Amino acid sequence: MKYTIGYDIGSSSVKAALLDVETGKCLATAISPAQEMPMHAPVAGWAEQDPEMWWQEVQNATKKLQQQHPFDGHAVAGIGIAYQMHGLVCVDKDQQVLRPSIIWCDSRAVEIGNEAFNALGQNWSLQYLLNSPGNFTASKLRWVQQYEPEIYARIHKIMLPGDFIAMRLTGEAATTISGLSEGIFWDFSGRQVSPVLLKHYNIDESLLSDVVPTFGLQGKVTEKAAALLGIAAGTPVTYRAGDQPNNAFSLNVLKPGEAATTAGTSGVVYAVHDHIAFDQQSRVNTFVHVNDTADAQRNGVLMCLNGTGILNSWLRQVTGKPDYSEMNTLAAQAPAGARGLHIYPFGNGAERILANRETGAVVNGLNFNIHSREHLLRAGQEGIVFALKYGMDIMKDMGLQIHRVRAGQANMFLSPLFREVFANTANVVIELYNTDGAQGAARAAGIGAGLYNEQEAFRGMECLATIEPDAALQQQYASIYSQWLEGLQHIIK
């Protein structure tokens, strides 16, 4: 038998999946740690993690796979990596980490990105970068340069979280074009690293890692890493992508007009298109999709809501409910609109859809005499959907028409109420599949290893449910969303 392994390096946990190449079936999945990984905020608005912690959890998750489904490590034919996007990892010439990673929801570089957006020219930035430099990896590196010059002087290579894990596996520092685009280093017009952006930030291009293909040989597992993981030295790493492009791949969202959504720690709608598109305020962002080529352009428009599953996690703590399924049941007992209680889930750093404002979360309309836990839980789920709808309307204004979305049956999509509110507020058909990011990375690794083609990669994946919008519910949720939206206008004034 031949296997592929997929890793999904999140900010809450590392997920791993073992795939049978012959049947396309997922044989085992593992999550490590059992509790969420720590996220440090030494200053309000910051968010950091230790990259070595991710690597340790990769090892732990691999051991759990072996316990669930013992496999011959020499039969692993390819490894795929998905990872939390937009993080910054800095290493020295000995590949040692110089500082904690500045991760995706960290807000410290917002003003640096805004300054660059204006200095470079908004029209130029949108034409060539398709985004504001914003609070992305390049701006985070500029922050290190300005505020930690001694560390900056020791940097040999910078990388994204998935690049770091690939380096620990192979001993080689590398990245992808898709990765460069998510860091806002990529010139879409010239299909090259942007010399203008580097010059403005005074960044030497030598700090960027070499480019490898998204699918294909990216390096081979070293003897040291092989011993830690229980696989063979020389096993090829054959795929890497940011978690949202990878999530789209895992749902077979590869063609223009197709869209994927996820609602984990963050909430995302990601739509594929074959032309240049951008939002004038850069509230949603365009990155290179995993199957982009020079002959067939494929970009992904990504709308991200930071405060999604993290709001649900917070609600679990404050309501004293240990089980998310029980929370979903309680939320469904409250009436639609939660009797006028509205939650605005913007409490996890600066929100791109709010033009990088950091408003904090808001609970509006709370009445101690009529509202209970059920109303609070329902308002949380509705607020997340309404914020996603707000972002989807920005995508619509860019010319993207989204009528059907695919999602893994996981996280918030495990809630029947959440699915109902999403389908009827956004007026979309939802298709739920038995997949996740780790499985997607494992399937993609098989393509990169030449074990099968793109069409064959999705054997073993099934559509578990389809949720259609209902005309009566659409009208009801349209009214509730309108009230929620009115409250949002006061928040962002």
PDB file of all heavy atoms in Angstrom, residues 123-146:
ATOM      1  N   ASN A 123      -3.904  53.342  -6.209  1.00  0.00           N
ATOM      2  CA  ASN A 123      -4.142  52.784  -7.548  1.00  0.00           C
ATOM      3  C   ASN A 123      -3.036  51.825  -7.947  1.00  0.00           C
ATOM      4  O   ASN A 123      -3.295  50.750  -8.510  1.00  0.00           O
ATOM      5  CB  ASN A 123      -4.275  53.908  -8.583  1.00  0.00           C
ATOM      6  CG  ASN A 123      -5.556  54.691  -8.424  1.00  0.00           C
ATOM      7  OD1 ASN A 123      -6.540  54.182  -7.875  1.00  0.00           O
ATOM      8  ND2 ASN A 123      -5.569  55.929  -8.897  1.00  0.00           N
ATOM      9  N   TRP A 124      -1.774  52.216  -7.672  1.00  0.00           N
ATOM     10  CA  TRP A 124      -0.656  51.331  -8.013  1.00  0.00           C
ATOM     11  C   TRP A 124      -0.747  50.034  -7.220  1.00  0.00           C
ATOM     12  O   TRP A 124      -0.586  48.940  -7.780  1.00  0.00           O
ATOM     13  CB  TRP A 124       0.682  52.012  -7.708  1.00  0.00           C
ATOM     14  CG  TRP A 124       1.849  51.139  -8.088  1.00  0.00           C
ATOM     15  CD1 TRP A 124       2.489  51.102  -9.291  1.00  0.00           C
ATOM     16  CD2 TRP A 124       2.460  50.124  -7.266  1.00  0.00           C
ATOM     17  NE1 TRP A 124       3.470  50.133  -9.276  1.00  0.00           N
ATOM     18  CE2 TRP A 124       3.479  49.514  -8.053  1.00  0.00           C
ATOM     19  CE3 TRP A 124       2.260  49.680  -5.976  1.00  0.00           C
ATOM     20  CZ2 TRP A 124       4.284  48.496  -7.573  1.00  0.00           C
ATOM     21  CZ3 TRP A 124       3.052  48.660  -5.482  1.00  0.00           C
ATOM     22  CH2 TRP A 124       4.052  48.072  -6.276  1.00  0.00           C
ATOM     23  N   SER A 125      -1.003  50.129  -5.915  1.00  0.00           N
ATOM     24  CA  SER A 125      -1.058  48.935  -5.076  1.00  0.00           C
ATOM     25  C   SER A 125      -2.124  47.964  -5.565  1.00  0.00           C
ATOM     26  O   SER A 125      -1.898  46.748  -5.652  1.00  0.00           O
ATOM     27  CB  SER A 125      -1.342  49.322  -3.618  1.00  0.00           C
ATOM     28  OG  SER A 125      -0.288  50.088  -3.081  1.00  0.00           O
ATOM     29  N   LEU A 126      -3.295  48.499  -5.894  1.00  0.00           N
ATOM     30  CA  LEU A 126      -4.386  47.638  -6.326  1.00  0.00           C
ATOM     31  C   LEU A 126      -4.132  47.071  -7.724  1.00  0.00           C
ATOM     32  O   LEU A 126      -4.487  45.924  -8.009  1.00  0.00           O
ATOM     33  CB  LEU A 126      -5.707  48.404  -6.283  1.00  0.00           C
ATOM     34  CG  LEU A 126      -6.150  48.830  -4.877  1.00  0.00           C
ATOM     35  CD1 LEU A 126      -7.368  49.742  -4.953  1.00  0.00           C
ATOM     36  CD2 LEU A 126      -6.443  47.618  -4.005  1.00  0.00           C
ATOM     37  N   GLN A 127      -3.491  47.842  -8.573  1.00  0.00           N
ATOM     38  CA  GLN A 127      -3.219  47.362  -9.934  1.00  0.00           C
ATOM     39  C   GLN A 127      -2.179  46.247  -9.946  1.00  0.00           C
ATOM     40  O   GLN A 127      -2.307  45.270 -10.687  1.00  0.00           O
ATOM     41  CB  GLN A 127      -2.750  48.520 -10.812  1.00  0.00           C
ATOM     42  CG  GLN A 127      -2.453  48.094 -12.258  1.00  0.00           C
ATOM     43  CD  GLN A 127      -1.990  49.265 -13.118  1.00  0.00           C
ATOM     44  OE1 GLN A 127      -2.028  50.422 -12.699  1.00  0.00           O
ATOM     45  NE2 GLN A 127      -1.549  48.959 -14.336  1.00  0.00           N
ATOM     46  N   TYR A 128      -1.138  46.369  -9.126  1.00  0.00           N
ATOM     47  CA  TYR A 128      -0.031  45.421  -9.187  1.00  0.00           C
ATOM     48  C   TYR A 128      -0.063  44.366  -8.064  1.00  0.00           C
ATOM     49  O   TYR A 128       0.258  43.200  -8.304  1.00  0.00           O
ATOM     50  CB  TYR A 128       1.305  46.169  -9.166  1.00  0.00           C
ATOM     51  CG  TYR A 128       1.548  46.965 -10.417  1.00  0.00           C
ATOM     52  CD1 TYR A 128       1.233  48.318 -10.473  1.00  0.00           C
ATOM     53  CD2 TYR A 128       2.057  46.355 -11.568  1.00  0.00           C
ATOM     54  CE1 TYR A 128       1.428  49.056 -11.640  1.00  0.00           C
ATOM     55  CE2 TYR A 128       2.260  47.082 -12.736  1.00  0.00           C
ATOM     56  CZ  TYR A 128       1.936  48.429 -12.767  1.00  0.00           C
ATOM     57  OH  TYR A 128       2.119  49.143 -13.922  1.00  0.00           O
ATOM     58  N   LEU A 129      -0.412  44.791  -6.858  1.00  0.00           N
ATOM     59  CA  LEU A 129      -0.442  43.853  -5.734  1.00  0.00           C
ATOM     60  C   LEU A 129      -1.838  43.268  -5.522  1.00  0.00           C
ATOM     61  O   LEU A 129      -1.989  42.278  -4.797  1.00  0.00           O
ATOM     62  CB  LEU A 129       0.010  44.555  -4.446  1.00  0.00           C
ATOM     63  CG  LEU A 129       1.361  45.280  -4.478  1.00  0.00           C
ATOM     64  CD1 LEU A 129       1.608  45.990  -3.149  1.00  0.00           C
ATOM     65  CD2 LEU A 129       2.496  44.302  -4.786  1.00  0.00           C
ATOM     66  N   LEU A 130      -2.852  43.916  -6.108  1.00  0.00           N
ATOM     67  CA  LEU A 130      -4.271  43.576  -5.952  1.00  0.00           C
ATOM     68  C   LEU A 130      -4.760  43.739  -4.518  1.00  0.00           C
ATOM     69  O   LEU A 130      -5.879  43.345  -4.190  1.00  0.00           O
ATOM     70  CB  LEU A 130      -4.582  42.143  -6.433  1.00  0.00           C
ATOM     71  CG  LEU A 130      -4.208  41.796  -7.877  1.00  0.00           C
ATOM     72  CD1 LEU A 130      -4.846  40.480  -8.272  1.00  0.00           C
ATOM     73  CD2 LEU A 130      -4.583  42.903  -8.835  1.00  0.00           C
ATOM     74  N   ASN A 131      -3.940  44.323  -3.674  1.00  0.00           N
ATOM     75  CA  ASN A 131      -4.258  44.497  -2.263  1.00  0.00           C
ATOM     76  C   ASN A 131      -3.506  45.705  -1.729  1.00  0.00           C
ATOM     77  O   ASN A 131      -2.507  46.136  -2.301  1.00  0.00           O
ATOM     78  CB  ASN A 131      -3.796  43.279  -1.438  1.00  0.00           C
ATOM     79  CG  ASN A 131      -4.384  41.967  -1.906  1.00  0.00           C
ATOM     80  OD1 ASN A 131      -5.527  41.653  -1.626  1.00  0.00           O
ATOM     81  ND2 ASN A 131      -3.583  41.183  -2.652  1.00  0.00           N
ATOM     82  N   SER A 132      -3.982  46.215  -0.613  1.00  0.00           N
ATOM     83  CA  SER A 132      -3.135  47.090   0.189  1.00  0.00           C
ATOM     84  C   SER A 132      -2.066  46.227   0.847  1.00  0.00           C
ATOM     85  O   SER A 132      -2.319  45.059   1.175  1.00  0.00           O
ATOM     86  CB  SER A 132      -3.973  47.775   1.266  1.00  0.00           C
ATOM     87  OG  SER A 132      -3.148  48.281   2.297  1.00  0.00           O
ATOM     88  N   PRO A 133      -0.850  46.755   1.064  1.00  0.00           N
ATOM     89  CA  PRO A 133       0.135  45.984   1.843  1.00  0.00           C
ATOM     90  C   PRO A 133      -0.403  45.573   3.198  1.00  0.00           C
ATOM     91  O   PRO A 133      -0.005  44.560   3.757  1.00  0.00           O
ATOM     92  CB  PRO A 133       1.319  46.940   1.961  1.00  0.00           C
ATOM     93  CG  PRO A 133       1.202  47.814   0.753  1.00  0.00           C
ATOM     94  CD  PRO A 133      -0.282  48.007   0.543  1.00  0.00           C
ATOM     95  N   GLY A 134      -1.332  46.378   3.731  1.00  0.00           N
ATOM     96  CA  GLY A 134      -2.126  45.998   4.886  1.00  0.00           C
ATOM     97  C   GLY A 134      -1.334  45.413   6.041  1.00  0.00           C
ATOM     98  O   GLY A 134      -0.154  45.698   6.253  1.00  0.00           O
ATOM     99  N   ASN A 135      -2.017  44.536   6.759  1.00  0.00           N
ATOM    100  CA  ASN A 135      -1.440  43.931   7.948  1.00  0.00           C
ATOM    101  C   ASN A 135      -0.915  42.528   7.615  1.00  0.00           C
ATOM    102  O   ASN A 135      -1.148  41.572   8.337  1.00  0.00           O
ATOM    103  CB  ASN A 135      -2.529  43.861   9.030  1.00  0.00           C
ATOM    104  CG  ASN A 135      -2.002  43.425  10.370  1.00  0.00           C
ATOM    105  OD1 ASN A 135      -0.908  43.813  10.767  1.00  0.00           O
ATOM    106  ND2 ASN A 135      -2.760  42.608  11.073  1.00  0.00           N
ATOM    107  N   PHE A 136      -0.213  42.434   6.489  1.00  0.00           N
ATOM    108  CA  PHE A 136       0.231  41.134   6.005  1.00  0.00           C
ATOM    109  C   PHE A 136       1.722  40.925   6.296  1.00  0.00           C
ATOM    110  O   PHE A 136       2.365  41.726   6.967  1.00  0.00           O
ATOM    111  CB  PHE A 136      -0.084  40.998   4.513  1.00  0.00           C
ATOM    112  CG  PHE A 136      -1.557  41.002   4.219  1.00  0.00           C
ATOM    113  CD1 PHE A 136      -2.161  42.091   3.608  1.00  0.00           C
ATOM    114  CD2 PHE A 136      -2.352  39.917   4.564  1.00  0.00           C
ATOM    115  CE1 PHE A 136      -3.519  42.103   3.343  1.00  0.00           C
ATOM    116  CE2 PHE A 136      -3.715  39.918   4.304  1.00  0.00           C
ATOM    117  CZ  PHE A 136      -4.297  41.011   3.701  1.00  0.00           C
ATOM    118  N   THR A 137       2.264  39.836   5.773  1.00  0.00           N
ATOM    119  CA  THR A 137       3.606  39.409   6.172  1.00  0.00           C
ATOM    120  C   THR A 137       4.675  40.457   5.873  1.00  0.00           C
ATOM    121  O   THR A 137       5.570  40.701   6.696  1.00  0.00           O
ATOM    122  CB  THR A 137       3.956  38.080   5.479  1.00  0.00           C
ATOM    123  OG1 THR A 137       2.868  37.160   5.658  1.00  0.00           O
ATOM    124  CG2 THR A 137       5.223  37.481   6.066  1.00  0.00           C
ATOM    125  N   ALA A 138       4.617  41.071   4.703  1.00  0.00           N
ATOM    126  CA  ALA A 138       5.632  42.074   4.355  1.00  0.00           C
ATOM    127  C   ALA A 138       5.618  43.225   5.353  1.00  0.00           C
ATOM    128  O   ALA A 138       6.679  43.718   5.778  1.00  0.00           O
ATOM    129  CB  ALA A 138       5.396  42.593   2.937  1.00  0.00           C
ATOM    130  N   SER A 139       4.435  43.671   5.737  1.00  0.00           N
ATOM    131  CA  SER A 139       4.331  44.772   6.699  1.00  0.00           C
ATOM    132  C   SER A 139       4.806  44.340   8.085  1.00  0.00           C
ATOM    133  O   SER A 139       5.391  45.142   8.830  1.00  0.00           O
ATOM    134  CB  SER A 139       2.882  45.265   6.764  1.00  0.00           C
ATOM    135  OG  SER A 139       2.454  45.751   5.500  1.00  0.00           O
ATOM    136  N   LYS A 140       4.558  43.083   8.444  1.00  0.00           N
ATOM    137  CA  LYS A 140       5.048  42.574   9.733  1.00  0.00           C
ATOM    138  C   LYS A 140       6.578  42.529   9.754  1.00  0.00           C
ATOM    139  O   LYS A 140       7.210  42.821  10.778  1.00  0.00           O
ATOM    140  CB  LYS A 140       4.451  41.193  10.002  1.00  0.00           C
ATOM    141  CG  LYS A 140       2.947  41.245  10.258  1.00  0.00           C
ATOM    142  CD  LYS A 140       2.307  39.873  10.232  1.00  0.00           C
ATOM    143  CE  LYS A 140       0.800  39.997  10.461  1.00  0.00           C
ATOM    144  NZ  LYS A 140       0.081  38.725  10.294  1.00  0.00           N
ATOM    145  N   LEU A 141       7.166  42.169   8.606  1.00  0.00           N
ATOM    146  CA  LEU A 141       8.624  42.166   8.522  1.00  0.00           C
ATOM    147  C   LEU A 141       9.166  43.588   8.657  1.00  0.00           C
ATOM    148  O   LEU A 141      10.197  43.812   9.315  1.00  0.00           O
ATOM    149  CB  LEU A 141       9.069  41.544   7.198  1.00  0.00           C
ATOM    150  CG  LEU A 141      10.577  41.492   6.956  1.00  0.00           C
ATOM    151  CD1 LEU A 141      11.296  40.708   8.048  1.00  0.00           C
ATOM    152  CD2 LEU A 141      10.864  40.877   5.583  1.00  0.00           C
ATOM    153  N   ARG A 142       8.488  44.537   8.054  1.00  0.00           N
ATOM    154  CA  ARG A 142       8.891  45.933   8.184  1.00  0.00           C
ATOM    155  C   ARG A 142       8.822  46.376   9.649  1.00  0.00           C
ATOM    156  O   ARG A 142       9.696  47.113  10.130  1.00  0.00           O
ATOM    157  CB  ARG A 142       7.970  46.806   7.319  1.00  0.00           C
ATOM    158  CG  ARG A 142       8.198  48.305   7.449  1.00  0.00           C
ATOM    159  CD  ARG A 142       9.551  48.756   6.946  1.00  0.00           C
ATOM    160  NE  ARG A 142       9.612  50.199   6.818  1.00  0.00           N
ATOM    161  CZ  ARG A 142      10.708  50.879   6.582  1.00  0.00           C
ATOM    162  NH1 ARG A 142      11.859  50.241   6.424  1.00  0.00           N
ATOM    163  NH2 ARG A 142      10.679  52.189   6.484  1.00  0.00           N
ATOM    164  N   TRP A 143       7.818  45.873  10.381  1.00  0.00           N
ATOM    165  CA  TRP A 143       7.713  46.210  11.799  1.00  0.00           C
ATOM    166  C   TRP A 143       8.943  45.693  12.553  1.00  0.00           C
ATOM    167  O   TRP A 143       9.509  46.411  13.396  1.00  0.00           O
ATOM    168  CB  TRP A 143       6.439  45.602  12.393  1.00  0.00           C
ATOM    169  CG  TRP A 143       6.216  45.973  13.831  1.00  0.00           C
ATOM    170  CD1 TRP A 143       5.498  47.026  14.314  1.00  0.00           C
ATOM    171  CD2 TRP A 143       6.773  45.307  14.976  1.00  0.00           C
ATOM    172  NE1 TRP A 143       5.568  47.059  15.694  1.00  0.00           N
ATOM    173  CE2 TRP A 143       6.341  46.011  16.134  1.00  0.00           C
ATOM    174  CE3 TRP A 143       7.586  44.186  15.146  1.00  0.00           C
ATOM    175  CZ2 TRP A 143       6.693  45.623  17.420  1.00  0.00           C
ATOM    176  CZ3 TRP A 143       7.939  43.802  16.433  1.00  0.00           C
ATOM    177  CH2 TRP A 143       7.491  44.515  17.549  1.00  0.00           C
ATOM    178  N   VAL A 144       9.348  44.462  12.281  1.00  0.00           N
ATOM    179  CA  VAL A 144      10.539  43.914  12.930  1.00  0.00           C
ATOM    180  C   VAL A 144      11.756  44.767  12.593  1.00  0.00           C
ATOM    181  O   VAL A 144      12.588  45.078  13.459  1.00  0.00           O
ATOM    182  CB  VAL A 144      10.769  42.447  12.509  1.00  0.00           C
ATOM    183  CG1 VAL A 144      12.094  41.920  13.081  1.00  0.00           C
ATOM    184  CG2 VAL A 144       9.613  41.563  12.971  1.00  0.00           C
ATOM    185  N   GLN A 145      11.838  45.165  11.341  1.00  0.00           N
ATOM    186  CA  GLN A 145      12.962  45.994  10.908  1.00  0.00           C
ATOM    187  C   GLN A 145      13.014  47.306  11.699  1.00  0.00           C
ATOM    188  O   GLN A 145      14.086  47.751  12.127  1.00  0.00           O
ATOM    189  CB  GLN A 145      12.829  46.289   9.413  1.00  0.00           C
ATOM    190  CG  GLN A 145      13.964  47.082   8.809  1.00  0.00           C
ATOM    191  CD  GLN A 145      13.642  47.471   7.377  1.00  0.00           C
ATOM    192  OE1 GLN A 145      12.822  48.345   7.137  1.00  0.00           O
ATOM    193  NE2 GLN A 145      14.271  46.786   6.431  1.00  0.00           N
ATOM    194  N   GLN A 146      11.854  47.905  11.928  1.00  0.00           N
ATOM    195  CA  GLN A 146      11.808  49.203  12.591  1.00  0.00           C
ATOM    196  C   GLN A 146      11.966  49.110  14.102  1.00  0.00           C
ATOM    197  O   GLN A 146      12.626  49.966  14.716  1.00  0.00           O
ATOM    198  CB  GLN A 146      10.481  49.903  12.265  1.00  0.00           C
ATOM    199  CG  GLN A 146      10.371  50.373  10.822  1.00  0.00           C
ATOM    200  CD  GLN A 146       9.092  51.138  10.574  1.00  0.00           C
ATOM    201  OE1 GLN A 146       8.076  50.931  11.235  1.00  0.00           O
ATOM    202  NE2 GLN A 146       9.120  52.035   9.595  1.00  0.00           N
TER     203      GLN A 146
END
